[in-house]
Amino acid sequence: MPFSLASELPAWKTLQDHYHTVKTLHLSDLFAQDPKRAEKFSRSFLNDADGNEIYFDFSKNFLTEETLGLLIKLAKEADVEGLRDRMFKGEKVNFTEERAVYHMALRNVSNKTMEVDGKSVVEDVNSVIEHMKEFSEQVRSGEWKGHTGQRIKSIVNIGIGGSDLGPVMVTETLKPYGHPDLTLHFVSNIDGTHITEALKSCDAESTLFLVASKTFTTAETCTNANTAKEWFLKQKGIDGDRSAIAKHFVALSTNEAEVTKFGINAQNMFGFESWVGGRYSVWSAIGLSVALYIGYDRFHEFLAGAHAIDNHFLSKPLEENIPILGGLLSVWYSNFFNAQTHLVSPFDQYLHRFPAYLQQLSMESNGKSVTRDGSIVNYTTGAILFGEPATNAQHSFYQLLHQGTKFIPTDFILAAESHNPVAPDNKHQLMLASNFFAQAEALMVGKDEGQVLAEGTPEKLKNHKVFRGDRPTTAILAQKITPGALGALIAYYEHLTFTEGAIWNINSFDQWGVELGKSLAKKIGSELEKPGDVSGHDASTNTLINKFKKMSGASKVTYKL
């Protein structure tokens, strides 16, 4: 049904009344009242990509059967399923940019019919994947050699946003599957320190650069790429031979004119379509660094894991649909409990970049305040997502979770099997798992005044040692973080984010908010190149620019943004 504001939906208004009933409940009491609660509010996903299970325990959330029924009703009234189906049909659900949102087609390993504007996209997607397979196998085997005949040992991915965050996170997470003789570097920041530090350990004759920019005009990426090219041409063994560029630089782009102008052979250009959003691009040619590092077969498993979640998301009824349940819980907390943040804390060191990846996915998607029909929302959208791997995070911000004043819904992620069991008794993994279970339990049950006093705590200190509890968590337990499992986890959060946006009735797929600062930076960049003070901005900005020019001697330096 058409609607403007989610707050106008009947289920939304019913949920507001229902909230006042639920907020007085204690999570521990819900378990005492229903011995089957854990079973009732958990869902299991068997990943047919690799046969591994991922178990989602939603039972430690403020969720009753009535709550779930009302949330499902809200999803139906907001037509989440209808928007989902239109997205999977290739309709231009990103209407502000007149684009389909079709990253699911990039991982369509079963070759289901998928079309945009009446034209099949399957063949073109498979063509790029086949190109990635051929190239990655040549590099990994040593068949592809640099200009002087050396095999590739270092790979430098130059990108920004999704062209960086995705490949960084995936290659870090799947490091156990990485080629032992390949070292990866990722450069995204325009701060010269980033590329300088990356190049310090590279030998030009054995380094391959991947320049990731769809248009090949992205300011930060092109600046870093040109710096890399200048460095490369000056190195011993290359000695300014520009023909060497073709053996050491490839482009993840669609702009053949700019790519060849740079010096890259058009045969070494890997394209992707306009319906691939940056934060969803790791499944595309942007994932070439992943395929190079873990090999094409593992990359295919990664795609297959996400495809399995796509099929689940598309086919399961709302009550059993794991990403939709996750999204509904997020809306429940954001809009009725007034939660402003969401914590994702993986109990897995390889997942240390996962929260950063999810930050872009979530906040760039749903950091919007205008509905699809142009109305200004009167409710919260887009939680502030943050995270850090545990158990390190326990000694950082968990204090605030347990005894602070903020209401912070939390996801904990653990793999039952470690890639590094370390000792025969698997002590490290058992300690890790014990903290995973204990933190969720402690956040739920807390510790009351009676328990504190029974431990011998002096009266004057009792309040300092009381834990209120009642802090909700979702536990995600995977068999092992395989390529397929990681693909499934990413797709879970993608579709969870979609569900949030569908209910809030916002366009989760554009990102106009990143444009204003970039356009102003171009203007200021030209001002920094010219001598003299500036005066065309507000007083603060004028003062800061002029102070910078004096401190740095910027007017004596020329550069292009």
Side-chain angles (χ1 to χ4, degrees), residues 11 18 38 82 104 157 171 218 225 229 255 284 302 354 393 402 407 462-463 469 482-483 496 523 545:
H18 178 68
M104 300 81 64
N157 187 93
T171 53
T218 307
K229 182 169 69 171
N255 190 339
S284 72
F302 172 65
F354 194 51
H402 284 285
F407 181 84
K462 69 178 183 182
N463 287 343
T482 60
L496 180 158
K523 177 179 183 292
I545 292 173

PDB file of all heavy atoms in Angstrom, residues 11 18 38 82 104 157 171 218 225 229 255 284 302 354 393 402 407 462-463 469 482-483 496 523 545:
ATOM      1  N   ALA A  11       0.141  -0.219  12.147  1.00  0.00           N
ATOM      2  CA  ALA A  11       0.979  -1.077  12.998  1.00  0.00           C
ATOM      3  C   ALA A  11       1.985  -0.259  13.794  1.00  0.00           C
ATOM      4  O   ALA A  11       2.333  -0.618  14.921  1.00  0.00           O
ATOM      5  CB  ALA A  11       1.694  -2.119  12.142  1.00  0.00           C
ATOM      6  N   HIS A  18       2.205  -0.762  22.353  1.00  0.00           N
ATOM      7  CA  HIS A  18       2.779  -2.022  22.801  1.00  0.00           C
ATOM      8  C   HIS A  18       4.110  -1.804  23.515  1.00  0.00           C
ATOM      9  O   HIS A  18       4.433  -2.513  24.476  1.00  0.00           O
ATOM     10  CB  HIS A  18       2.974  -2.937  21.591  1.00  0.00           C
ATOM     11  CG  HIS A  18       3.608  -4.244  21.902  1.00  0.00           C
ATOM     12  ND1 HIS A  18       2.995  -5.226  22.643  1.00  0.00           N
ATOM     13  CD2 HIS A  18       4.843  -4.741  21.563  1.00  0.00           C
ATOM     14  CE1 HIS A  18       3.798  -6.273  22.748  1.00  0.00           C
ATOM     15  NE2 HIS A  18       4.927  -5.999  22.109  1.00  0.00           N
ATOM     16  N   ALA A  38      14.301 -19.622  23.749  1.00  0.00           N
ATOM     17  CA  ALA A  38      15.504 -19.619  22.914  1.00  0.00           C
ATOM     18  C   ALA A  38      15.228 -20.285  21.569  1.00  0.00           C
ATOM     19  O   ALA A  38      15.658 -19.796  20.517  1.00  0.00           O
ATOM     20  CB  ALA A  38      16.643 -20.331  23.641  1.00  0.00           C
ATOM     21  N   GLY A  82       7.076  -6.271  -1.307  1.00  0.00           N
ATOM     22  CA  GLY A  82       6.865  -5.725  -2.640  1.00  0.00           C
ATOM     23  C   GLY A  82       8.077  -4.978  -3.155  1.00  0.00           C
ATOM     24  O   GLY A  82       8.486  -5.146  -4.318  1.00  0.00           O
ATOM     25  N   MET A 104      22.858  -8.112  -6.424  1.00  0.00           N
ATOM     26  CA  MET A 104      22.559  -9.546  -6.281  1.00  0.00           C
ATOM     27  C   MET A 104      22.875 -10.311  -7.567  1.00  0.00           C
ATOM     28  O   MET A 104      23.195 -11.494  -7.533  1.00  0.00           O
ATOM     29  CB  MET A 104      21.093  -9.755  -5.909  1.00  0.00           C
ATOM     30  CG  MET A 104      20.671  -9.101  -4.601  1.00  0.00           C
ATOM     31  SD  MET A 104      20.325  -7.331  -4.798  1.00  0.00           S
ATOM     32  CE  MET A 104      18.916  -7.336  -5.888  1.00  0.00           C
ATOM     33  N   ASN A 157      45.953  -2.048  -4.058  1.00  0.00           N
ATOM     34  CA  ASN A 157      44.617  -1.655  -4.497  1.00  0.00           C
ATOM     35  C   ASN A 157      44.413  -0.186  -4.157  1.00  0.00           C
ATOM     36  O   ASN A 157      44.509   0.217  -2.993  1.00  0.00           O
ATOM     37  CB  ASN A 157      43.558  -2.503  -3.788  1.00  0.00           C
ATOM     38  CG  ASN A 157      42.162  -2.264  -4.319  1.00  0.00           C
ATOM     39  OD1 ASN A 157      41.704  -2.962  -5.210  1.00  0.00           O
ATOM     40  ND2 ASN A 157      41.452  -1.288  -3.759  1.00  0.00           N
ATOM     41  N   THR A 171      39.559  -9.415   2.324  1.00  0.00           N
ATOM     42  CA  THR A 171      40.890 -10.044   2.295  1.00  0.00           C
ATOM     43  C   THR A 171      41.447 -10.233   3.703  1.00  0.00           C
ATOM     44  O   THR A 171      42.139 -11.214   3.973  1.00  0.00           O
ATOM     45  CB  THR A 171      41.877  -9.231   1.441  1.00  0.00           C
ATOM     46  OG1 THR A 171      41.894  -7.870   1.878  1.00  0.00           O
ATOM     47  CG2 THR A 171      41.509  -9.295  -0.028  1.00  0.00           C
ATOM     48  N   THR A 218      37.514   9.706 -10.181  1.00  0.00           N
ATOM     49  CA  THR A 218      37.391   9.949  -8.744  1.00  0.00           C
ATOM     50  C   THR A 218      38.642  10.675  -8.252  1.00  0.00           C
ATOM     51  O   THR A 218      39.762  10.166  -8.415  1.00  0.00           O
ATOM     52  CB  THR A 218      37.207   8.629  -7.981  1.00  0.00           C
ATOM     53  OG1 THR A 218      36.126   7.897  -8.561  1.00  0.00           O
ATOM     54  CG2 THR A 218      36.919   8.893  -6.515  1.00  0.00           C
ATOM     55  N   ALA A 225      46.603   7.244  -7.756  1.00  0.00           N
ATOM     56  CA  ALA A 225      47.060   6.423  -8.881  1.00  0.00           C
ATOM     57  C   ALA A 225      48.192   7.121  -9.637  1.00  0.00           C
ATOM     58  O   ALA A 225      49.182   6.480 -10.032  1.00  0.00           O
ATOM     59  CB  ALA A 225      45.901   6.113  -9.819  1.00  0.00           C
ATOM     60  N   LYS A 229      51.985   5.901 -10.172  1.00  0.00           N
ATOM     61  CA  LYS A 229      52.601   5.798 -11.499  1.00  0.00           C
ATOM     62  C   LYS A 229      53.932   6.553 -11.542  1.00  0.00           C
ATOM     63  O   LYS A 229      54.931   6.037 -12.081  1.00  0.00           O
ATOM     64  CB  LYS A 229      51.646   6.335 -12.562  1.00  0.00           C
ATOM     65  CG  LYS A 229      52.185   6.221 -13.984  1.00  0.00           C
ATOM     66  CD  LYS A 229      51.119   6.522 -15.035  1.00  0.00           C
ATOM     67  CE  LYS A 229      50.717   7.971 -15.038  1.00  0.00           C
ATOM     68  NZ  LYS A 229      49.832   8.280 -16.206  1.00  0.00           N
ATOM     69  N   ASN A 255      35.628   3.413 -17.965  1.00  0.00           N
ATOM     70  CA  ASN A 255      36.012   4.539 -18.821  1.00  0.00           C
ATOM     71  C   ASN A 255      37.270   4.193 -19.612  1.00  0.00           C
ATOM     72  O   ASN A 255      38.395   4.498 -19.203  1.00  0.00           O
ATOM     73  CB  ASN A 255      36.235   5.793 -17.971  1.00  0.00           C
ATOM     74  CG  ASN A 255      36.386   7.053 -18.814  1.00  0.00           C
ATOM     75  OD1 ASN A 255      36.706   6.998 -19.997  1.00  0.00           O
ATOM     76  ND2 ASN A 255      36.159   8.197 -18.188  1.00  0.00           N
ATOM     77  N   SER A 284      31.724  -7.379  -7.389  1.00  0.00           N
ATOM     78  CA  SER A 284      31.988  -7.067  -8.796  1.00  0.00           C
ATOM     79  C   SER A 284      33.481  -7.142  -9.090  1.00  0.00           C
ATOM     80  O   SER A 284      34.257  -7.726  -8.332  1.00  0.00           O
ATOM     81  CB  SER A 284      31.470  -5.663  -9.116  1.00  0.00           C
ATOM     82  OG  SER A 284      32.298  -4.685  -8.500  1.00  0.00           O
ATOM     83  N   PHE A 302      32.593 -17.425  -2.023  1.00  0.00           N
ATOM     84  CA  PHE A 302      32.179 -16.168  -1.391  1.00  0.00           C
ATOM     85  C   PHE A 302      30.898 -15.647  -2.039  1.00  0.00           C
ATOM     86  O   PHE A 302      29.929 -15.297  -1.356  1.00  0.00           O
ATOM     87  CB  PHE A 302      33.336 -15.181  -1.527  1.00  0.00           C
ATOM     88  CG  PHE A 302      33.048 -13.767  -1.108  1.00  0.00           C
ATOM     89  CD1 PHE A 302      32.754 -13.455   0.208  1.00  0.00           C
ATOM     90  CD2 PHE A 302      33.110 -12.731  -2.043  1.00  0.00           C
ATOM     91  CE1 PHE A 302      32.511 -12.139   0.599  1.00  0.00           C
ATOM     92  CE2 PHE A 302      32.877 -11.418  -1.666  1.00  0.00           C
ATOM     93  CZ  PHE A 302      32.576 -11.126  -0.346  1.00  0.00           C
ATOM     94  N   PHE A 354      35.330  -5.719   9.835  1.00  0.00           N
ATOM     95  CA  PHE A 354      33.915  -5.913   9.509  1.00  0.00           C
ATOM     96  C   PHE A 354      33.041  -4.748   9.989  1.00  0.00           C
ATOM     97  O   PHE A 354      32.204  -4.249   9.223  1.00  0.00           O
ATOM     98  CB  PHE A 354      33.439  -7.243  10.085  1.00  0.00           C
ATOM     99  CG  PHE A 354      32.120  -7.726   9.545  1.00  0.00           C
ATOM    100  CD1 PHE A 354      31.887  -7.797   8.182  1.00  0.00           C
ATOM    101  CD2 PHE A 354      31.106  -8.129  10.396  1.00  0.00           C
ATOM    102  CE1 PHE A 354      30.679  -8.251   7.676  1.00  0.00           C
ATOM    103  CE2 PHE A 354      29.888  -8.589   9.912  1.00  0.00           C
ATOM    104  CZ  PHE A 354      29.680  -8.650   8.545  1.00  0.00           C
ATOM    105  N   ALA A 393      37.646  -5.320  22.825  1.00  0.00           N
ATOM    106  CA  ALA A 393      36.621  -4.303  23.062  1.00  0.00           C
ATOM    107  C   ALA A 393      36.099  -4.336  24.491  1.00  0.00           C
ATOM    108  O   ALA A 393      35.617  -3.330  25.016  1.00  0.00           O
ATOM    109  CB  ALA A 393      35.469  -4.494  22.078  1.00  0.00           C
ATOM    110  N   HIS A 402      27.538  -1.991  29.883  1.00  0.00           N
ATOM    111  CA  HIS A 402      27.042  -2.620  31.099  1.00  0.00           C
ATOM    112  C   HIS A 402      26.454  -1.629  32.100  1.00  0.00           C
ATOM    113  O   HIS A 402      25.426  -1.900  32.723  1.00  0.00           O
ATOM    114  CB  HIS A 402      28.162  -3.406  31.782  1.00  0.00           C
ATOM    115  CG  HIS A 402      28.475  -4.707  31.119  1.00  0.00           C
ATOM    116  ND1 HIS A 402      27.670  -5.812  31.233  1.00  0.00           N
ATOM    117  CD2 HIS A 402      29.509  -5.081  30.329  1.00  0.00           C
ATOM    118  CE1 HIS A 402      28.191  -6.825  30.540  1.00  0.00           C
ATOM    119  NE2 HIS A 402      29.313  -6.399  29.989  1.00  0.00           N
ATOM    120  N   PHE A 407      21.276   3.178  25.641  1.00  0.00           N
ATOM    121  CA  PHE A 407      20.631   1.925  25.248  1.00  0.00           C
ATOM    122  C   PHE A 407      21.240   1.510  23.916  1.00  0.00           C
ATOM    123  O   PHE A 407      21.023   2.175  22.898  1.00  0.00           O
ATOM    124  CB  PHE A 407      19.121   2.139  25.117  1.00  0.00           C
ATOM    125  CG  PHE A 407      18.349   0.908  24.751  1.00  0.00           C
ATOM    126  CD1 PHE A 407      17.957   0.000  25.711  1.00  0.00           C
ATOM    127  CD2 PHE A 407      18.016   0.655  23.421  1.00  0.00           C
ATOM    128  CE1 PHE A 407      17.231  -1.140  25.366  1.00  0.00           C
ATOM    129  CE2 PHE A 407      17.297  -0.474  23.073  1.00  0.00           C
ATOM    130  CZ  PHE A 407      16.908  -1.377  24.046  1.00  0.00           C
ATOM    131  N   LYS A 462      27.830  -0.137  46.971  1.00  0.00           N
ATOM    132  CA  LYS A 462      26.918  -1.077  46.311  1.00  0.00           C
ATOM    133  C   LYS A 462      26.429  -0.571  44.953  1.00  0.00           C
ATOM    134  O   LYS A 462      26.379  -1.317  43.980  1.00  0.00           O
ATOM    135  CB  LYS A 462      25.732  -1.415  47.218  1.00  0.00           C
ATOM    136  CG  LYS A 462      24.776  -0.251  47.446  1.00  0.00           C
ATOM    137  CD  LYS A 462      23.574  -0.667  48.316  1.00  0.00           C
ATOM    138  CE  LYS A 462      22.620   0.538  48.447  1.00  0.00           C
ATOM    139  NZ  LYS A 462      21.472   0.202  49.321  1.00  0.00           N
ATOM    140  N   ASN A 463      26.063   0.714  44.902  1.00  0.00           N
ATOM    141  CA  ASN A 463      25.528   1.231  43.635  1.00  0.00           C
ATOM    142  C   ASN A 463      26.559   1.212  42.513  1.00  0.00           C
ATOM    143  O   ASN A 463      26.203   1.153  41.325  1.00  0.00           O
ATOM    144  CB  ASN A 463      24.996   2.642  43.819  1.00  0.00           C
ATOM    145  CG  ASN A 463      23.694   2.666  44.603  1.00  0.00           C
ATOM    146  OD1 ASN A 463      23.031   1.647  44.738  1.00  0.00           O
ATOM    147  ND2 ASN A 463      23.342   3.829  45.138  1.00  0.00           N
ATOM    148  N   GLY A 469      21.414  -4.715  33.851  1.00  0.00           N
ATOM    149  CA  GLY A 469      21.045  -5.750  32.894  1.00  0.00           C
ATOM    150  C   GLY A 469      20.017  -5.233  31.905  1.00  0.00           C
ATOM    151  O   GLY A 469      19.916  -4.036  31.649  1.00  0.00           O
ATOM    152  N   THR A 482      34.274 -19.174   6.743  1.00  0.00           N
ATOM    153  CA  THR A 482      34.731 -19.581   5.416  1.00  0.00           C
ATOM    154  C   THR A 482      34.378 -18.476   4.417  1.00  0.00           C
ATOM    155  O   THR A 482      33.633 -17.548   4.746  1.00  0.00           O
ATOM    156  CB  THR A 482      34.037 -20.875   5.002  1.00  0.00           C
ATOM    157  OG1 THR A 482      32.609 -20.625   4.974  1.00  0.00           O
ATOM    158  CG2 THR A 482      34.324 -22.005   5.986  1.00  0.00           C
ATOM    159  N   PRO A 483      34.857 -18.561   3.177  1.00  0.00           N
ATOM    160  CA  PRO A 483      34.401 -17.592   2.178  1.00  0.00           C
ATOM    161  C   PRO A 483      32.885 -17.572   2.029  1.00  0.00           C
ATOM    162  O   PRO A 483      32.272 -16.508   1.934  1.00  0.00           O
ATOM    163  CB  PRO A 483      35.091 -18.070   0.899  1.00  0.00           C
ATOM    164  CG  PRO A 483      36.345 -18.730   1.372  1.00  0.00           C
ATOM    165  CD  PRO A 483      35.955 -19.410   2.650  1.00  0.00           C
ATOM    166  N   LEU A 496      19.241  -6.679   5.784  1.00  0.00           N
ATOM    167  CA  LEU A 496      18.765  -6.061   7.023  1.00  0.00           C
ATOM    168  C   LEU A 496      18.654  -4.540   6.813  1.00  0.00           C
ATOM    169  O   LEU A 496      17.654  -3.911   7.175  1.00  0.00           O
ATOM    170  CB  LEU A 496      19.736  -6.384   8.162  1.00  0.00           C
ATOM    171  CG  LEU A 496      19.460  -5.861   9.569  1.00  0.00           C
ATOM    172  CD1 LEU A 496      20.213  -6.733  10.599  1.00  0.00           C
ATOM    173  CD2 LEU A 496      19.878  -4.405   9.784  1.00  0.00           C
ATOM    174  N   LYS A 523      36.616  23.532  -5.067  1.00  0.00           N
ATOM    175  CA  LYS A 523      36.711  24.993  -5.094  1.00  0.00           C
ATOM    176  C   LYS A 523      37.858  25.470  -4.201  1.00  0.00           C
ATOM    177  O   LYS A 523      38.673  26.307  -4.602  1.00  0.00           O
ATOM    178  CB  LYS A 523      35.386  25.590  -4.635  1.00  0.00           C
ATOM    179  CG  LYS A 523      35.364  27.118  -4.553  1.00  0.00           C
ATOM    180  CD  LYS A 523      33.987  27.599  -4.114  1.00  0.00           C
ATOM    181  CE  LYS A 523      33.910  29.126  -4.089  1.00  0.00           C
ATOM    182  NZ  LYS A 523      34.750  29.699  -3.023  1.00  0.00           N
ATOM    183  N   ILE A 545      41.712  28.597   6.320  1.00  0.00           N
ATOM    184  CA  ILE A 545      42.425  28.443   5.052  1.00  0.00           C
ATOM    185  C   ILE A 545      43.657  29.345   5.018  1.00  0.00           C
ATOM    186  O   ILE A 545      44.762  28.914   4.644  1.00  0.00           O
ATOM    187  CB  ILE A 545      41.490  28.755   3.863  1.00  0.00           C
ATOM    188  CG1 ILE A 545      40.394  27.688   3.742  1.00  0.00           C
ATOM    189  CG2 ILE A 545      42.287  28.835   2.556  1.00  0.00           C
ATOM    190  CD1 ILE A 545      39.331  28.001   2.708  1.00  0.00           C
TER     191      ILE A 545
END
